[in-house]
C-alpha cells in the first residue's frame, strides 16, 4: 500500500507531527496466502462463536466498518468507512509507547499493528496484530457510547505521568512480543527476554499514573466483559480477537469481578491467559470509572505532589498555574512551603503557554537553558497578585518602570525593575518581566542579574500537572527510536511451495485460474508438508461444497490422523470441521 492510500481520512490531517512518526505503510502486498488463510480461519471461527457471547455491537460493527471475513482489510478501505463514524485508522509496527497510543485515541485514530500472527500462533499471540486491532478494536467502536469512552480515555490517558521505569517496561514488552511471534528464535533468547521482563516488573516501584491507567485500559478496552457477572458478554479487543481466550474467558475457571476503580491496581501479564476479568454493567459506567480515576491524577489535583511526579518522571511535562499560565519542560527542582510550591525550576529547553498556545516570545529558544520562577502570595498581603486590580498593583508598586522589593510567604525575596507585564484575555496578569533582578532564599541565590531578564510567572498555586507539552509545536518530538523491530524472515523453498498451494486453493475458491487443482494440492501437501493442517481444512470445505463425499472423507480421515499425531491441534481442527459441517447442514 502506498503512503497516499493511508491519507484517505481528514482526521489524519489533524495529527501532530510527533504522532505521524509512528505511522508506516500497510504494504498490503506483503500479506501472503497463508496470512490470508489465518485471517479467514480466525474470523470465521470468531464470528460463529462471538455471535453467541459478544456484545451485540460487535457483529453490527463488523458490517458498519466493512471488515470482511474473507480477506485481511486494507487501510484505505477501512478509512473510507471509518470516516462515516468519525474515526480513522493508521498502521504501525507492533507496540508503540502507551502515551502515543492513547494520544492517537484522543484524535479518534485507531492504531493498527499491520503484521499478522503466524499460523503457529493462530489461537493467541502476545504481539499486537491486524486480527487483534482490525477485528477486535475496529468493530466495537461503531457503538457511539463506547467510541466516546475510547476517545475520552485517550484524552485523559495521554496526560498520565509515567515513571522513569515505564519506558523500560514498554521496551521489554515490545521485545518479548516480537521474539515470540518471530520464526526461528532460539528458546534461550525468548527465556532471557522473559527473565528481563520479570526483573523490570519486580523492580518497578510504586506504580505511576501511566501504569495504573494502563491497567484500566487492559481490563476494559482489551479484556473487558459487559453485563452481569453471571452472564457477561465480550467487548474487549483482546478477547474478541483470540479464538482461545474468547472461549476460555466464558468458563468458570476465569473469575468474573464487578468493574471498579480497583482494577487500576490489578497488574496483568500479556504472555498468559487472564485468571480474572472485570465486568461493567454498561458502557456508560466505563466513563464513570474513568472520570473517578482522572480525579486522582495530577492533571486535576496539581500541587506539589503533581510537580514531584513530573520531576521523578524525568520526562517532558507541563504544569498549569491558577492564572492559566502553563510551563512546559523537564522539571528538576521545587521548593515547597506548607502545601504550596514556592519555587520551581526546569533544566533545558522550556516554553511558556496559555490555553495550549505558546506565548509570543517565550519559546524554547528564549528559555533554552531552563526556567525558574517564584510562586505564591506576597508576605503579609492577603490578596494574591493574580487577584489584584490595576489599582491594587499600583498601590503595591507592582507597576511598569518601578524598582521593587517583593518578599513572598515562603521567604523568597525578589528585587528588580519591572519592565512590563503579560495579561490573559480576562485581563489577569500572568507574567511580570524584570530586569536587573535578583531572587534569593536565605543565602541561596536563585537568580542573578547577569543571567538576563527574569520572567516571573504569576500564580498562587499549581492546579494541574501532566505529561507532554502544553503546545505540541513548542518542542521537536520527532525522536522516537525503537530498540527492537518486527522480525521478517526470508521464506525457505519449502515455505514458498506451501504458499503456492494456499494460493491455488484461494484462487480456486475465487474462481480464478489455478496452478494446482484441489486434488493435486492435497497430494503435494501430504507428501511435502505433513505439519500443516489449515490448508486441509480449506480443502475439506471445497470438497464439501463441491459435494464430493469421497474426497471430503479422505481429507477428514487425514485431519483425524493429524489430531492423533498432535493433540495440541485437536481443538483447532475440530472447530474448523464443525464450522464447515454446520454451514453445509444449514444449506
Amino acid at each position: 500500500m502506498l503512503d497516499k492510500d493511508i491519507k484517505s481520512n481528514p482526521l489524519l490531517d489533524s495529527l501532530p507531527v510527533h504522532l505521524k512518526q509512528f505511522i508506516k505503510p500497510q504494504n498490503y502486498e506483503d500479506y501472503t496466502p497463508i496470512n490470508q488463510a489465518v485471517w479467514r480461519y480466525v474470523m470465521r471461527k470468531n464470528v460463529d462463536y462471538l455471535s453467541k457471547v459478544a456484545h451485540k455491537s460487535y457483529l453490527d460493527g463488523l458490517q458498519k466498518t466493512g471488515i470482511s471475513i474473507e480477506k485481511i482489510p486494507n487501510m484505505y478501505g477501512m478509512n473510507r468507512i471509518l470516516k462515516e463514524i468519525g474515526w480513522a485508522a493508521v498502521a504501525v509496527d507492533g507496540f508503540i509507547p502507551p502515551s502515543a497510543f492513547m494520544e492517537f485515541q484522543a484524535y479518534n485514530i485507531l492504531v493498527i499493528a499491520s503484521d499478522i500472527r503466524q499460523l503457529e500462533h493462530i489461537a493467541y499471540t502476545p504481539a499486537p496484530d491486524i486480527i487483534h486491532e482490525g477485528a477486535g478494536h475496529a468493530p466495537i467502536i461503531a457503538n457511539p457510547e463506547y467510541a466516546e469512552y475510547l476517545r475520552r480515555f485517550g484524552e485523559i490517558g495521554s496526560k498520565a505521568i509515567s515513571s522513569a521505569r515505564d519506558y523500560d517496561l514498554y521496551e521489554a514488552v515490545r521485545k518479548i512480543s516480537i521474539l515470540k511471534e518471530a520464526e526461528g528464535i532460539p528458546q534461550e533468547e525468548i527465556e532471557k527476554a522473559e527473565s528481563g521482563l520479570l526483573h523490570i516488573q519486580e523492580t518497578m516501584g510504586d506504580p505511576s499514573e501511566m501504569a495504573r491507567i494502563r491497567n484500566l485500559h487492559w481490563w476494559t478496552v482489551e479484556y473487558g466483559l459487559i453485563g452481569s457477572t453471571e452472564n457477561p458478554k465480550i467487548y474487549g479487543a483482546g478477547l474478541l480477537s483470540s479464538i482461545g481466550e474468547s472461549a476460555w474467558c466464558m468458563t468458570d475457571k476465569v473469575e468474573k469481578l464487578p468493574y471498579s476503580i480497583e482494577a487500576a491496581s490489578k497488574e496483568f501479564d500479556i504472555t498468559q491467559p487472564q485468571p480474572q476479568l472485570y465486568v461493567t454493567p454498561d458502557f456508560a459506567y466505563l466513563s464513570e470509572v474513568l472520570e473517578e480515576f482522572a480525579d486522582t491524577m495530577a492533571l486535576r489535583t496539581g500541587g506539589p505532589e503533581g510537580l514531584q511526579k513530573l520531576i521523578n518522571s524525568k520526562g517532558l511535562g507541563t504544569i498549569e498555574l491558577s492564572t492559566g499560565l502553563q510551563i512546559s519542560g523537564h522539571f528538576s527542582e521545587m521548593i515547597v512551603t506548607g502545601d504550596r510550591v514556592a519555587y520551581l525550576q526546569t533544566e533545558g529547553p522550556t516554553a511558556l503557554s496559555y490555553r495550549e498556545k505558546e506565548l509570543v516570545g517565550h519559546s524554547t529558544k528564549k528559555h533554552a537553558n531552563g526556567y525558574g520562577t517564584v510562586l505564591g502570595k506576597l508576605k503579609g498581603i492577603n490578596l494574591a497578585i493574580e487577584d489584584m486590580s490595576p489599582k491594587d498593583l499600583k498601590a503595591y508598586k507592582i507597576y511598569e518602570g518601578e524598582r521593587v522589593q517583593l518578599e513572598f510567604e515562603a521567604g523568597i525575596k525578589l528585587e528588580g525593575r519591572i519592565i512590563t507585564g503579560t495579561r490573559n484575555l480576562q485581563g489577569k496578569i500572568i507574567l511580570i518581566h524584570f530586569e536587573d533582578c535578583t531572587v534569593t532564599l536565605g543565602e541561596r541565590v536563585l537568580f542573578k542579574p547577569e543571567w538576563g531578564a527574569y520572567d516571573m510567572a504569576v500564580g498562587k498555586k499549581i492546579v494541574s500537572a501532566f505529561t507532554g507539552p502544553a503546545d505540541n509545536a513548542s518542542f521537536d518530538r520527532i525522536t522516537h527510536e525503537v530498540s527492537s523491530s518486527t522480525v521478517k524472515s526470508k521464506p525457505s523453498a519449502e515455505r514458498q511451495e506451501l504458499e503456492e498451494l494456499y494460493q491455488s486453493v484461494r484462487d480456486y475458491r475465487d474462481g480464478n485460474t489455478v496452478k494446482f487443482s484441489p486434488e493435486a494440492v492435497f497430494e503435494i501437501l501430504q507428501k511435502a508438508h505433513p505439519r500443516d493442517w489449515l490448508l486441509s481444512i480449506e480443502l475439506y470445505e471445497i470438497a464439501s461444497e463441491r459435494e464430493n463425499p469421497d474426497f471430503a472423507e479422505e481429507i477428514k480421515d487425514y485431519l483425524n490422523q493429524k489430531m492423533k499425531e498432535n493433540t495440541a491441534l485437536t481443538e483447532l481442527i475440530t472447530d474448523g470441521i464443525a464450522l464447515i459441517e454446520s454451514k453445509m447442514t444449514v444449506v
Side-chain angles (χ1 to χ4, degrees):
M1 174 173 284
L2 301 176
D3 279 332
K4 66 181 178 64
D5 293 330
I6 296 175
K7 299 172 184 176
S8 58
N9 187 311
L11 281 174
L12 300 178
D13 296 332
S14 67
L15 281 176
V17 291
H18 73 275
L19 289 181
K20 289 181 179 178
Q21 69 182 315
F22 296 102
I23 301 174
K24 59 166 249 183
Q26 184 184 16
N27 297 325
Y28 195 88
E29 66 278 2
D30 288 349
Y31 294 122
T32 70
I34 293 178
N35 293 156
Q36 294 285 0
V38 166
W39 170 273
R40 186 170 183 267
Y41 176 89
V42 173
M43 288 302 295
R44 293 180 74 209
K45 187 174 184 303
N46 272 8
V47 169
D48 176 70
Y49 176 68
L50 292 172
S51 63
K52 309 176 188 75
V53 299
H55 188 268
K56 58 184 177 63
S57 297
Y58 177 71
L59 293 180
D60 294 342
L62 279 177
Q63 293 182 332
K64 288 180 181 177
T65 52
I67 294 172
S68 168
I69 293 174
E70 293 297 319
K71 61 182 180 180
I72 297 169
N74 69 60
M75 216 63 68
Y76 178 73
M78 281 188 70
N79 266 313
R80 280 190 295 108
I81 296 168
L82 285 172
K83 182 167 65 175
E84 301 303 314
I85 60 174
W87 281 71
V90 296
V92 299
D93 181 24
F95 280 112
I96 64 174
S99 58
F101 181 89
M102 292 186 193
E103 195 172 356
F104 270 111
Q105 284 183 193
Y107 282 91
N108 281 25
I109 307 290
L110 191 63
V111 173
I112 294 181
S114 56
D115 290 317
I116 188 166
R117 66 196 65 180
Q118 294 181 57
L119 173 56
E120 293 75 15
H121 302 150
I122 195 167
Y124 172 78
T125 174
D129 73 339
I130 196 163
I131 293 177
H132 172 80
E133 313 287 5
H137 285 296
I140 206 76
I141 64 169
N143 180 294
E145 193 161 30
Y146 180 76
E148 174 54 22
Y149 167 71
L150 202 61
R151 186 204 66 78
R152 182 67 169 158
F153 199 108
E155 191 173 49
I156 292 172
S158 62
K159 301 295 186 183
I161 300 171
S162 300
S163 73
R165 291 285 278 163
D166 281 337
Y167 196 79
D168 295 335
L169 179 64
Y170 152 71
E171 286 285 11
V173 168
R174 177 179 167 84
K175 182 177 182 180
I176 199 168
S177 70
I178 289 171
L179 292 178
K180 285 197 168 187
E181 189 53 40
E183 295 180 35
I185 301 296
Q187 185 59 31
E188 313 88 74
E189 190 172 344
I190 293 175
E191 289 174 358
K192 183 179 178 182
E194 287 178 329
S195 177
L197 173 60
L198 182 62
H199 174 71
I200 291 172
Q201 288 174 327
E202 291 175 343
T203 57
M204 287 294 291
D206 292 336
S208 66
E209 287 181 352
M210 179 56 77
R212 286 170 55 76
I213 202 167
R214 192 172 61 232
N215 289 343
L216 288 184
H217 193 273
W218 181 265
W219 298 122
T220 60
V221 176
E222 298 294 348
Y223 278 80
L225 298 176
I226 188 168
S228 66
T229 53
E230 295 77 24
N231 184 32
K233 299 292 184 183
I234 296 171
Y235 74 90
L239 297 173
L240 292 172
S241 60
S242 171
I243 57 181
E245 285 211 89
S246 59
W248 164 257
C249 77
M250 289 289 109
T251 68
D252 292 339
K253 294 177 182 177
V254 177
E255 186 180 9
K256 316 298 191 301
L257 303 171
Y259 181 59
S260 72
I261 197 171
E262 297 302 317
S265 302
K266 189 67 178 177
E267 299 290 337
F268 58 88
D269 183 349
I270 70 159
T271 67
Q272 300 296 326
Q274 307 309 311
Q276 79 289 305
L277 296 173
Y278 291 89
V279 186
T280 182
D282 49 45
F283 287 138
Y285 186 66
L286 294 177
S287 296
E288 188 178 323
V289 173
L290 176 61
E291 295 299 329
E292 184 183 355
F293 181 83
D295 286 342
T296 71
M297 291 172 59
L299 175 67
R300 294 185 181 175
T301 61
E305 297 82 6
L307 180 52
Q308 188 62 56
K309 287 179 181 179
L310 286 178
I311 293 171
N312 293 344
S313 76
K314 296 180 170 49
L316 174 62
T318 297
I319 61 103
E320 182 174 327
L321 303 179
S322 46
T323 54
L325 180 70
Q326 297 164 314
I327 304 167
S328 301
H330 289 77
F331 293 88
S332 56
E333 183 186 3
M334 66 175 171
I335 298 171
V336 178
T337 177
D339 61 350
R340 300 284 174 91
V341 175
Y343 201 90
L344 62 82
Q345 183 68 50
T346 68
E347 56 185 22
T350 304
L352 307 185
S353 303
Y354 180 73
R355 291 187 174 177
E356 287 71 50
K357 182 71 175 175
E358 182 179 285
L359 293 177
V360 176
H362 291 282
S363 69
T364 56
K365 290 181 180 178
K366 169 70 183 296
H367 306 289
N369 300 311
Y371 172 81
T373 185
V374 60
L375 299 175
K377 290 182 178 181
L378 295 171
K379 188 175 182 179
I381 300 175
N382 236 4
L383 198 62
I385 295 175
E386 65 196 77
D387 296 325
M388 291 181 182
S389 67
K391 285 184 179 180
D392 294 324
L393 291 169
K394 194 167 187 178
Y396 291 111
K397 295 189 176 181
I398 304 174
Y399 204 73
E400 292 176 10
E402 292 283 351
R403 184 164 191 86
V404 296
Q405 291 182 334
L406 304 176
E407 183 174 359
F408 292 78
E409 287 181 333
I412 295 173
K413 295 178 181 179
L414 181 154
E415 182 178 347
R417 191 173 73 84
I418 297 174
I419 305 170
T420 187
T422 300
R423 296 179 182 274
N424 63 21
L425 292 174
Q426 285 71 42
K428 283 193 172 187
I429 190 160
I430 59 175
L431 268 178
I432 301 176
H433 313 282
F434 294 86
E435 65 180 5
D436 190 25
C437 184
T438 301
V439 184
T440 58
L441 175 61
E443 297 296 316
R444 183 180 177 186
V445 178
L446 299 171
F447 193 87
K448 299 178 180 179
E450 54 264 37
W451 293 352
Y454 184 71
D455 298 299
M456 187 188 84
V458 177
K460 54 192 172 191
K461 64 178 180 178
I462 296 173
V463 297
S464 181
F466 54 88
T467 197
D471 185 339
N472 280 316
S474 295
F475 293 81
D476 178 8
R477 300 170 71 193
I478 314 300
T479 57
H480 180 64
E481 294 181 9
V482 295
S483 60
S484 52
S485 297
T486 304
V487 178
K488 302 285 187 184
S489 302
K490 186 177 180 181
S492 63
E494 179 186 351
R495 183 73 171 194
Q496 286 176 321
E497 182 185 59
L498 184 59
E499 293 282 6
E500 287 183 358
L501 298 180
Y502 271 87
Q503 185 61 51
S504 286
V505 169
R506 189 169 188 83
D507 287 338
Y508 183 90
R509 189 189 305 112
D510 293 342
N512 301 325
T513 303
V514 299
K515 184 175 182 180
F516 301 105
S517 69
E519 288 80 4
V521 168
F522 187 54
E523 185 178 346
I524 297 169
L525 188 67
Q526 292 177 87
K527 292 178 180 177
H529 307 281
R531 292 191 302 275
D532 187 84
W533 59 273
L534 181 56
L535 189 54
S536 296
I537 294 287
E538 299 224 325
L539 288 168
Y540 181 64
E541 180 184 13
I542 288 173
S544 299
E545 289 176 345
R546 244 176 27 179
E547 297 184 359
N548 187 338
D550 292 338
F551 188 33
E553 194 62 32
E554 184 184 0
I555 298 169
K556 192 171 182 180
D557 288 343
Y558 178 73
L559 285 167
N560 285 330
Q561 184 60 37
K562 290 281 115 195
M563 289 188 281
K564 289 178 182 177
E565 293 170 1
N566 185 355
T567 56
L569 297 176
T570 300
E571 188 175 346
L572 292 168
I573 292 174
T574 301
D575 289 350
I577 292 172
L579 271 173
I580 295 163
E581 293 180 347
S582 65
K583 179 182 174 184
M584 300 312 296
T585 302
V586 171
V587 172

